[in-house]
Amino acid sequence: MTPPFKKTEENQPILEIYGKSPLSGEVIISGAKNSALVIMAGALLCPQDCHLENVPSLADIEKMIQILESLGLKITRKGQTLEIDAKNITEVSAPYDLVSQMRASFFVIGPLLSRMGVANIPLPGGCAIGARPVDLHVRGLQAMGAEVMIEHGIARAYIKGNNKRLKGTKIYLDYPSVGATETLMMAATLADGETMIENAACEPEVIDLANFCIAMGAKIKGAGTSTIIISGVDSLGSVKYNIIPDRIEAGTFLVAGAITQSELSIYPIIPEHLASVIAKLEAIGSKVVVEDFNRVKILPAPLKATDIETLPFPGFPTDMQAQFMALLTLAEGNCVVTETVFENRMRHVAELQRMGANIRVKGNHAIIQGVPLLSGAPLIATDLRASAALVLAGLAAEGKTTIQCLQHLDRGYDDLEGKLKKLGAKLHRTTGVSETRALF
Ligand code: EPZ
């Protein structure tokens, strides 16, 4: 019996990449997606205006705007600036069709509950990289005095008692979850008393969110360490805030330089946000120079196989694993890439193998034997960072690579193609018939 094939579809957006063009020049990094999304949710905490600068142009940002508007917020976007007026929240239930498309929408539960005493948020559900449960978010809110029931795929949360206020408490996270740390830190800003979050995530985006909340008048200490202490206040006020540069976009362009053997300059960056990425690139043989504190330059060098293991920050970021795997397929020697954060984040392997990469997956390890070259091939993108990895591999491969399912890329990279073209890459977006593949 022939396996069922994905039906072909006409007029699908397809990215065509002609490999082996050397890159050169400087690329400007946009604001951090994973800061902007959670800070937008944090604007729900404040009954006055929030003015956000350096907000990237991404599909996920548009989705978050829709979700916040569905709750009654007034949002105006001017280029990289967002004006958010959360004076009147008219709805406490987020729409399923929007939340189900983007996990970050679940971030609204903490601020909405704190502000309104009630929040009904559909569970974001799993995605390409894993089940992505929200049990740590839910258990933390319950520890702060919220009733949270999961009914028909919706987390229904409300605060018991008359004063509708969460209570400060001590919370230990079983895993240093970025999202759970952010949800609970936001909820605690308006709680009655002090909240201590232990085994908190230390990612730069957590620090950015804390700085945003502090700018609104929140009392937060220890963000960026594994113990965060929040003293609840009665209300928060207007703020003008500038989002940090996107360390994952910056890391992706560093790999673009390494994989095409090009000299590239990347700006702005915050060097300490890229310490593990720069250390790994240097271990692989690249020369990386940090200039005038917020610019980094990568110089061409032969690539040497180097093991990688993803870990919570300050360890090597899981969001850079796919991009480094593309790079390591062309490195001299054998190495192992181990993914410890998500249970299903190796879906780019099958696509890289179609280009001639020599990779064997065993559990959460990918054993890579370097090959002298990759050849262009028709590829299907499966998730955001896998898409970036396929673009990078296409830039280095002989011949033409086509990538479909570009919706993943558009979620998390602000004009990646335009920025690559400015550096000399030969690629363009067209339409065509979708690639047919056996579904299993
Ligand atoms: C954030 O996701 C980022 N997304 C992810 O970036 C990033 O990969 C991840 O942090 C880790 O750094 C945003 O900030 C919008 P986690 P998040 O909670 O918060 C488990 C990208 O490509 N877990 O730290 O969802 C979970 O299953 C995206 O930009 C629970 O078990 O990540 C995972 O195995 C992808 N229960 C691990 O923790 C929970 O309640 C890490 O997840 C929460 C998480």
Side-chain angles (χ1 to χ4, degrees):
M1 181 184 80
T2 47
F5 277 77
K6 195 167 180 283
K7 64 181 183 1
T8 58
E9 286 163 43
E10 306 284 335
N11 291 330
Q12 291 303 301
I14 289 179
L15 185 62
E16 282 184 358
I17 304 170
Y18 297 88
K20 289 269 178 232
S21 309
L23 308 182
S24 67
E26 175 165 277
V27 61
I28 305 285
I29 298 302
S30 301
K33 166 180 84 85
N34 292 347
S35 258
L37 289 171
V38 69
I39 285 174
M40 287 169 72
L44 279 162
L45 291 164
C46 166
Q48 295 173 17
D49 290 349
C50 281
H51 175 104
L52 302 181
E53 299 276 352
N54 202 30
V55 178
S57 304
L58 304 172
D60 273 6
I61 297 291
E62 292 312 312
K63 279 210 188 76
M64 185 58 94
I65 289 174
Q66 288 172 29
I67 287 163
L68 294 177
E69 286 178 336
S70 75
L71 301 175
L73 275 64
K74 305 251 175 305
I75 301 180
T76 328
R77 163 149 226 169
K78 289 189 199 87
Q80 309 307 312
T81 299
L82 273 191
E83 296 288 349
I84 302 180
D85 169 1
K87 269 190 225 53
N88 307 307
I89 296 177
T90 55
E91 183 52 72
V92 291
S93 300
Y96 177 78
D97 59 322
L98 289 174
V99 173
S100 58
Q101 294 171 41
M102 179 181 66
R103 173 179 176 72
S105 347
F106 197 73
F107 286 144
V108 303
I109 192 167
L112 196 55
L113 182 62
S114 258
R115 178 87 187 276
M116 304 300 284
V118 59
N120 303 314
I121 313 297
L123 295 177
C127 65
I129 61 177
R132 307 192 73 181
V134 288
D135 55 311
L136 299 176
H137 301 241
V138 170
R139 289 215 306 265
L141 292 173
Q142 288 169 332
M144 295 172 78
E147 282 288 342
V148 186
M149 285 162 297
I150 310 291
E151 285 168 357
H152 312 299
I154 294 177
R156 295 189 184 287
Y158 67 94
I159 304 173
K160 297 169 286 191
N162 304 331
N163 75 349
K164 294 276 171 231
R165 201 172 175 190
L166 292 170
K167 296 245 177 320
T169 186
K170 196 169 175 181
I171 300 165
Y172 176 82
L173 293 177
D174 293 347
Y175 185 90
S177 151
V178 172
T181 302
E182 293 170 338
T183 288
L184 300 173
M185 185 166 74
M186 290 190 285
T189 57
L190 295 175
D192 179 11
E194 183 176 274
T195 299
M196 178 187 281
I197 305 173
E198 294 189 297
N199 197 26
C202 304
E203 272 69 3
E205 293 76 26
V206 172
I207 303 173
D208 211 23
L209 173 65
N211 290 337
F212 166 74
C213 292
I214 291 165
M216 288 197 289
K219 291 190 169 58
I220 301 173
K221 288 201 194 73
T225 74
S226 52
T227 302
I228 304 178
I229 296 177
I230 306 105
S231 308
V233 295
D234 294 338
S235 66
L236 297 170
S238 256
V239 68
K240 185 170 179 180
Y241 194 77
N242 206 322
I243 308 279
I244 56 171
D246 193 314
R247 62 189 169 104
I248 304 302
E249 184 190 18
T252 303
F253 276 101
L254 281 170
V255 175
I259 204 169
T260 58
Q261 295 291 306
S262 310
E263 178 174 325
L264 292 185
S265 178
I266 290 132
Y267 158 88
I269 56 119
I270 299 173
E272 55 268 29
H273 293 177
L274 284 159
S276 60
V277 169
I278 290 171
K280 271 300 161 189
L281 283 168
E282 289 176 332
I284 292 171
S286 294
K287 192 153 170 36
V288 183
V289 181
V290 176
E291 299 172 335
D292 6 309
F293 77 88
N294 66 352
R295 180 182 266 98
V296 65
K297 187 177 273 187
I298 184 161
L299 306 168
L303 305 174
K304 292 192 311 289
T306 306
D307 290 350
I308 284 185
E309 181 179 33
T310 66
L311 288 168
F313 196 90
F316 186 87
T318 174
D319 292 350
M320 285 300 304
Q321 179 258 102
Q323 299 92 312
F324 268 73
M325 191 181 294
L327 178 64
L328 290 166
T329 64
L330 289 167
E332 172 87 30
N334 302 341
C335 61
V336 181
V337 171
T338 303
E339 172 57 57
T340 73
V341 176
F342 289 106
E343 70 269 26
N344 187 29
R345 205 170 197 176
M346 297 272 184
R347 298 183 65 188
H348 38 285
V349 169
E351 302 305 306
L352 293 170
Q353 286 168 335
R354 290 167 63 82
M355 302 176 81
N358 183 337
I359 309 173
R360 204 158 43 85
V361 175
K362 280 177 80 65
N364 66 336
H365 304 282
I367 298 110
I368 302 166
Q369 193 164 340
V371 293
L373 67 91
L374 294 176
S375 56
L379 307 176
I380 296 181
T382 51
D383 58 82
L384 169 56
R385 305 303 173 183
S387 309
L390 302 185
V391 172
L392 296 172
L395 292 173
E398 299 261 336
K400 178 170 110 173
T401 296
T402 59
I403 303 174
Q404 63 186 56
C405 300
L406 298 177
Q407 67 276 17
H408 301 295
L409 202 59
D410 297 340
R411 286 188 46 206
Y413 283 93
D414 185 347
D415 191 22
L416 179 68
E417 292 142 55
K419 293 180 179 180
L420 284 170
K421 273 184 192 157
K422 273 203 199 107
L423 297 173
K426 301 262 178 300
L427 75 170
H428 70 272
R429 199 173 279 221
T430 177
T431 55
V433 178
S434 61
E435 158 79 4
T436 54
R437 281 280 179 77
L439 291 178
F440 47 82

